[in-house]
């Protein structure tokens, strides 16, 4: 085993097969300035008990009167090991060295760009239609994007493996540092096959990371998660979040799950106290046994509502069959014209009318590849689903 040259890495945390696949070398994809970075060491890295006179905090306490204000005048933990332990227990990973916490998945995406991609030089692959922040972060970091569209024929929304593999083979200068795979996809709502993800990981022409965004993974089968591949593959990153299935979008807590060398690089690079104390407290509660049980209960109810909504939408006139495999907490509904063809103009009219007149807000996605005429509809409560159906009946 070759120990990677990463500050803070402990050989004892590495999987026995490290690195696999054998062609992957993390030092080849991490920017040299990041590898040589001396991480900022904050006050709470050393001590967090006793009379704390080390971090220039306000010893008199917070200036708000609230039951939630206790200890808000102190900086939070820089690492939150309790949250990480709960996460790796939930996702069946060996230790907290496999988990990184960010301010939403968006911070994780941005950090991945910053540690791997040299501005104006390097490149990533995205597979539209997909989550828009991959492209936004590329622009912010001055990184090129090679778009390899999904196979959208008949609503498949699966990877075009030959096209991605060709992009790897053509990358003779090793510029492609990441491939973003959204699974289940947004706005497609469709799970990507694990066998396809494994092909990308094992392709000897792919020297970069495969980043699998699993924001909606809890709404599909448990065994479908790419987390099951992490202990084997050193070039895999799986992103998750507490925003969707846990219903905690407001606390902005995203997660990267990967082998320890990459997690250590992310930890070395992040801001010292990126996850706040209130967010951490709520995350700990959500990841308790009771919190996880509640999450599973809510997911089961939302999946029932999803089935109900799909069935009722199928009865409406002038709509198409709901697109994709419906593995997430939303559906993609095509709006049709009088000739039964997808109609972007009509979809926009309905989208605006619902929001501005009926105060029911869905999302127009007709400009996305393979989504002509489509509205993306999040799964609400049963009452909200019924109200939406009634209003669509009147409009259609």
């Amino acid at each position: 085993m070759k120990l990677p040259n990463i500050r803070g890495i402990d050989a004892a945390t590495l999987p026995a097969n490290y690195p696999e696949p054998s062609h992957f070398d993390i030092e080849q994809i991490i920017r040299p300035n990041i590898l040589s970075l001396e991480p900022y060491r904050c006050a709470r890295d050393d001590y967090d008990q006793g009379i704390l006179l080390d971090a220039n905090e306000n010893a008199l306490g917070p200036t708000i009167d609230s039951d939630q204000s206790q200890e808000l005048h102190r900086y939070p933990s820089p690492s939150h090991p309790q949250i990480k332990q709960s996460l790796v227990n939930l996702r069946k990973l060996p230790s907290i060295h496999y988990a990184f916490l960010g301010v939403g998945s968006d911070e994780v995406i941005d950090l991945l760009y910053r540690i791997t991609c040299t501005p104006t030089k390097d490149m990533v692959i995205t597979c539209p239609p997909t989550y828009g922040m991959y492209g936004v972060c590329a622009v912010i970091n001055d990184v090129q994007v090679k778009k390899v569209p999904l196979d959208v024929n008949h609503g498949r929304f699966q990877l075009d493996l030959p096209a991605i593999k060709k992009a790897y083979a053509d990358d003779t200068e090793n510029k492609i540092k990441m491939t973003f795979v959204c699974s289940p996809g947004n706005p497609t709502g469709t799970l990507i096959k694990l066998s396809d993800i494994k092909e990308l990981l094992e392709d000897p022409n792919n020297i970069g990371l495969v980043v699998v965004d699993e924001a909606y993974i809890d709404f599909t089968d448990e065994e479908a998660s790419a987390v099951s591949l992490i202990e084997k593959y050193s070039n895999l990153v799986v992103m998750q979040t507490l925003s969707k299935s846990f219903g905690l979008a407001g606390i902005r807590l995203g997660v990267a799950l990967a082998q320890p060398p990459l997690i250590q690089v992310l930890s070395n690079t992040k801001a010292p106290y990126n996850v706040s104390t209130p967010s951490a407290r709520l995350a700990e509660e959500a990841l308790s046994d009771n919190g996880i049980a509640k999450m599973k209960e809510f997911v089961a109810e939302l999946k029932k509502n999803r089935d109900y909504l799909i069935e009722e939408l199928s009865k409406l006139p002038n709509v198409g069959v709901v697109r994709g495999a419906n593995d997430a907490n939303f559906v993609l509904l095509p709006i049709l014209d009088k000739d039964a063809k997808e109609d972007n103009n009509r979809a926009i009219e309905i989208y605006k009318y619902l929001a501005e007149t009926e105060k029911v807000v869905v999302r127009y996605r007709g400009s996305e590849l393979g989504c002509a005429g489509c509205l993306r509809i999040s799964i609400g409560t049963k009452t909200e689903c019924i109200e939406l159906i009634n209003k669509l009946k009147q409009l259609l």
Side-chain angles (χ1 to χ4, degrees):
M1 177 192 295
K2 177 195 173 189
L3 187 66
N5 182 29
I6 295 170
R7 292 179 186 271
I9 195 66
D10 182 349
T13 67
L14 299 178
N17 64 328
Y18 185 85
E20 188 173 332
S22 58
H23 71 266
F24 177 71
D25 181 358
I26 192 170
E27 293 178 47
Q28 188 178 1
I29 66 157
I30 303 298
R31 294 167 61 192
N33 60 307
I34 299 297
L35 283 174
S36 63
L37 174 70
E38 182 72 44
Y40 177 80
R41 189 155 189 86
C42 62
R44 294 299 164 263
D45 278 319
D46 296 318
Y47 305 104
D48 60 5
Q49 302 288 325
I51 298 175
L52 301 175
L53 304 176
D54 57 343
N56 302 337
E57 300 151 327
N58 187 333
L60 299 181
T63 57
I64 60 172
D65 185 14
S66 167
D67 293 339
Q68 303 299 318
S69 67
Q70 186 179 7
E71 295 184 2
L72 291 184
H73 62 305
R74 299 296 184 190
Y75 286 110
S77 165
S79 56
H80 301 287
Q82 183 177 335
I83 298 174
K84 291 178 181 178
Q85 188 63 60
S86 297
L87 279 166
V88 298
N89 289 347
L90 176 64
R91 303 309 187 192
K92 300 180 176 61
L93 289 170
S95 74
I96 64 172
H97 302 287
Y98 285 74
F100 172 83
L101 306 179
V103 183
S105 295
D106 295 337
E107 184 188 23
V108 175
I109 295 168
D110 185 61
L111 269 178
L112 287 170
Y113 270 101
R114 287 159 57 194
I115 66 173
T116 62
C117 294
T118 301
T120 73
K121 174 188 172 185
D122 287 329
M123 180 186 303
V124 302
I125 289 177
T126 65
C127 302
T130 193
Y131 182 45
M133 279 303 294
Y134 312 144
V136 171
C137 278
V139 172
I140 292 169
N141 288 281
D142 205 1
V143 172
Q144 302 172 64
V145 176
K146 182 173 183 59
K147 296 180 180 180
V148 182
L150 296 175
D151 175 1
V152 300
N153 291 325
H154 310 294
R156 287 189 72 242
F157 297 127
Q158 290 296 315
L159 297 178
D160 185 344
L161 282 178
I164 297 175
K165 292 166 81 69
K166 183 179 185 304
Y168 291 158
D170 292 344
D171 181 31
T172 56
E173 297 181 20
N174 291 338
K175 289 184 176 182
I176 298 174
K177 293 303 195 295
M178 292 188 288
T179 302
F180 285 96
V181 177
C182 197
S183 178
N186 177 10
T188 68
T190 299
L191 193 72
I192 300 298
K193 293 182 289 188
L194 283 183
S195 58
D196 288 358
I197 293 171
K198 288 169 71 173
E199 271 204 59
L200 301 185
L201 293 165
E202 293 174 356
D203 190 317
N205 293 314
N206 175 22
I207 61 96
L209 298 171
V210 177
V211 183
V212 182
D213 188 346
E214 291 189 344
Y216 303 96
I217 196 64
D218 289 319
F219 297 99
T220 188
D221 297 330
E222 186 174 347
E223 63 273 13
S225 173
V227 169
S228 62
L229 306 177
I230 286 175
E231 288 186 72
K232 180 175 182 181
Y233 293 101
S234 310
N235 52 345
L236 173 64
V237 187
V238 177
M239 297 192 304
Q240 296 185 351
T241 178
L242 268 62
S243 294
K244 311 300 182 182
S245 59
F246 283 93
L248 290 174
I251 74 169
R252 308 305 301 127
L253 189 71
V255 181
L257 302 170
Q259 288 190 7
L262 184 67
I263 296 299
Q264 187 64 53
V265 173
L266 289 170
S267 299
N268 290 350
T269 313
K270 76 173 183 69
Y273 305 108
N274 61 331
V275 176
S276 73
T277 297
S279 292
R281 286 179 185 164
L282 292 168
E284 289 170 5
E285 184 178 347
L287 291 165
S288 67
D289 290 345
N290 288 339
I292 291 170
K294 189 91 170 177
M295 178 271 282
K296 292 180 177 179
E297 176 189 328
F298 280 10
V299 165
E301 183 174 348
L302 287 169
K303 289 169 77 171
K304 286 181 182 177
N305 292 352
R306 182 179 67 193
D307 293 342
Y308 166 80
L309 187 61
I310 292 171
E311 181 180 357
E312 293 302 310
L313 289 171
S314 71
K315 300 174 184 176
L316 296 177
N318 301 314
V319 301
V321 175
V322 168
R323 294 275 171 83
N326 301 302
D327 295 315
N329 68 332
F330 57 85
V331 297
L332 198 59
L333 178 71
I335 303 297
L336 308 180
D337 64 14
K338 57 183 175 60
D339 298 318
K341 294 182 178 180
E342 294 91 350
D343 189 334
N344 274 347
N345 291 332
R346 194 168 190 222
I348 291 171
E349 289 176 7
I350 290 172
Y351 155 68
K352 289 184 175 179
Y353 185 85
L354 283 174
E356 295 170 7
T357 303
E358 301 293 349
K359 304 304 179 188
V360 176
V361 183
V362 297
R363 196 112 189 241
Y364 170 70
R365 277 293 174 257
S367 59
E368 302 278 349
L369 178 69
C371 304
C374 282
L375 301 177
R376 194 191 70 190
I377 304 171
S378 300
I379 307 303
T381 64
K382 184 69 174 289
T383 300
E384 289 171 336
C385 291
I386 292 170
E387 186 169 353
L388 171 69
I389 292 294
N390 289 336
K391 294 186 183 305
L392 282 174
K393 280 179 182 177
Q394 296 168 16
L395 283 171
L396 295 167

